[in-house]
């Protein structure tokens, strides 16, 4: 397919339904029906073009059968004739784009083998912008940091997806944030901790909401660059190979997540703007 036929995300015209895009799937997750947990309700995706611009996308229930065996996380595709819908005003946005791409009955998807754009395209935010409440609260973020504090796993619900683990992360300047990991993200971190008892000072990257991806000591450029930033001439006080165990009562005092939000299922989260499943970030320094 000729490059001249491909539209970049920055140039899309939301009133047209005949455009072709060259995009990589950088995240893909499924939403189950609220009424039938065995029924797939929606496929959600985050797509990125070769310029590094991202857009959220979805496949509705009536079209899932056409795309479920084609769309794969990490793969690139030519996507022809999608349509666009405006994001809900004031709702949580997983990309900075105000529109969402939708796969419909006449959308054509073919695999692309010559995609030369970024693999992840993280948008790390400065801790100070979160501590100072400068960053817009309805736009998802990426953070990177060193795990310096670990709480106990909270299993106060029969639903494993609502179990949570609170960790404390620190940036290269010594600023700290509290991060609440839910469900399998919590257990992924706990498993790493259990198997690395004597080597816990590891950089982590996480994006939040139900679209979260968690990278723990992964060999990717962004984490390697962060590691090098810790080796500068005047690093923050990260002495010793130990970490802080956050007392249960301290976690309870800082964790207003449960008090502010009633836990909901993934479908509830999808239908109500995903406010519930986001990772909570707060200053605990």
């Amino acid at each position: 397919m000729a490059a001249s036929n491909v539209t970049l995300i920055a140039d899309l015209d939301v009133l047209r339904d005949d455009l072709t895009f060259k995009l990589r799937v950088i995240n893909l997750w499924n939403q189950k029906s609220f009424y039938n947990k065995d029924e797939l309700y929606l496929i959600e995706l985050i797509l990125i073009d070769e310029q590094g611009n991202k857009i959220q996308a979805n496949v509705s229930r009536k079209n899932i059968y056409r795309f479920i065996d084609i769309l794969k996380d990490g793969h690139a595709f030519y996507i022809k004739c999608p349509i666009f819908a405006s994001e809900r005003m004031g709702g949580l946005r997983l990309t900075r784009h105000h529109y969402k791409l939708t796969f419909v009955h006449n959308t054509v998807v073919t695999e692309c083998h010559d995609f030369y754009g970024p693999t992840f395209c993280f948008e790390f935010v400065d801790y100070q912008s979160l501590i100072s409440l400068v960053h817009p609260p309805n736009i998802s973020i990426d953070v990177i940091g060193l795990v310096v504090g670990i709480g106990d796993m909270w299993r106060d619900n029969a639903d494993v997806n609502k179990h949570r683990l609170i960790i404390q992360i620190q940036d290269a300047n010594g600023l700290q944030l509290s991060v609440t990991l839910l469900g399998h993200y919590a257990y992924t971190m706990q498993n790493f901790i259990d198997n690395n008892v004597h080597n816990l000072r590891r950089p982590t990257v996480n994006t939040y909401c139900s679209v979260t991806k968690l990278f723990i000591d992964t060999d990717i450029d962004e984490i390697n660059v962060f590691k090098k930033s810790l080796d500068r001439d005047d690093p923050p006080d990260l002495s010793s190979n130990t970490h802080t165990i956050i007392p249960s009562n301290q976690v309870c005092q800082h964790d207003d997540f449960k008090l502010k939000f009633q836990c909901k299922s993934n479908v509830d989260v999808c239908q109500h703007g995903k406010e519930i499943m986001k990772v909570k970030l707060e200053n605990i320094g």
Side-chain angles (χ1 to χ4, degrees):
M1 184 174 293
S4 59
N5 295 329
V6 173
T7 300
L8 295 167
I9 291 175
D11 300 326
L12 72 84
D13 181 348
V14 298
L15 299 180
R16 294 181 57 181
D17 61 1
D18 60 345
L19 300 176
T20 298
F21 299 86
K22 183 180 180 181
L23 304 168
R24 186 199 300 275
V25 179
I26 61 172
N27 212 342
L28 182 154
W29 68 103
N30 297 328
Q31 300 285 0
K32 297 298 181 67
S33 169
F34 177 76
Y35 302 103
N36 182 357
K37 300 302 182 182
D38 296 324
E39 180 184 354
L40 187 56
Y41 172 79
L42 197 69
I43 297 176
E44 296 263 17
L45 312 96
I46 302 295
L47 305 171
I48 190 170
D49 67 12
E50 291 184 310
Q51 288 188 336
N53 292 314
K54 292 180 282 190
I55 190 168
Q56 189 173 349
N58 63 40
V59 182
S60 62
R61 181 172 55 185
K62 64 182 179 181
N63 291 304
I64 285 176
Y65 74 96
R66 296 191 59 236
F67 302 104
I68 191 170
D69 294 326
I70 301 174
L71 297 170
K72 304 294 182 183
D73 195 359
H75 291 222
F77 301 92
Y78 289 106
I79 302 171
K80 184 177 181 180
C81 300
I83 64 172
F84 299 90
S86 177
E87 291 277 23
R88 184 170 65 87
M89 186 68 68
L92 181 64
R93 300 211 322 263
L94 301 182
T95 73
R96 295 185 180 275
H97 207 285
H98 292 280
Y99 285 84
K100 182 182 292 188
L101 181 152
T102 300
F103 294 75
V104 292
H105 67 282
N106 61 327
T107 301
V108 177
V109 176
T110 55
E111 192 153 9
C112 168
H113 300 286
D114 61 347
F115 185 90
Y116 300 109
T119 302
F120 299 110
C121 199
F122 295 113
E123 297 181 50
F124 296 121
V125 299
D126 182 72
Y127 282 24
Q128 188 60 54
S129 70
L130 302 175
I131 294 169
S132 305
L133 304 180
V134 173
H135 190 277
N138 66 325
I139 298 179
S140 68
I141 61 171
D142 300 331
V143 294
I144 185 168
L146 197 68
V147 176
V148 295
I150 303 164
D152 294 325
M153 183 72 71
W154 284 72
R155 301 181 177 90
D156 52 348
N157 193 292
D159 187 349
V160 173
N161 292 321
K162 297 173 184 176
H163 293 179
R164 63 196 189 281
L165 177 70
I166 297 180
I167 62 173
Q168 203 171 317
I169 61 173
Q170 182 168 301
D171 68 6
N173 297 314
L175 295 177
Q176 295 184 2
L177 297 172
S178 176
V179 179
T180 301
L181 303 174
L182 298 177
H184 78 270
Y185 308 117
Y187 283 100
T188 298
M189 176 62 74
Q190 186 67 62
N191 182 65
F192 178 83
I193 292 168
D194 292 342
N195 288 284
N196 294 271
V197 177
H198 303 295
N199 193 19
L200 288 173
R201 293 177 59 236
R202 296 290 189 178
T204 67
V205 177
N206 88 79
T207 60
Y208 69 105
C209 199
S210 56
V211 62
T212 295
K213 276 192 172 182
L214 183 66
F215 299 80
I216 306 174
D217 199 30
T218 309
D219 185 18
I220 58 176
D221 291 344
E222 291 83 355
I223 284 183
N224 292 330
V225 169
F226 179 78
K227 287 180 180 179
K228 290 180 181 179
S229 74
L230 300 178
D231 296 330
R232 64 191 188 187
D233 294 336
D234 185 27
D237 183 13
L238 297 174
S239 58
S240 84
N241 289 323
T242 62
H243 61 281
T244 300
I245 300 297
I246 305 173
S248 296
N249 61 342
Q250 181 180 349
V251 172
C252 183
Q253 290 170 1
H254 285 86
D255 184 19
D256 58 349
F257 178 87
K258 187 177 179 183
L259 297 176
K260 289 183 179 180
F261 302 109
Q262 179 182 359
C263 289
K264 295 182 180 290
S265 69
N266 282 349
V267 172
D268 285 330
V269 172
C270 172
Q271 293 173 343
H272 297 288
K274 299 188 177 69
E275 296 91 344
I276 306 305
M277 292 293 289
K278 67 182 180 179
V279 169
K280 175 174 67 65
L281 301 173
E282 63 182 8
N283 176 24
I284 62 172

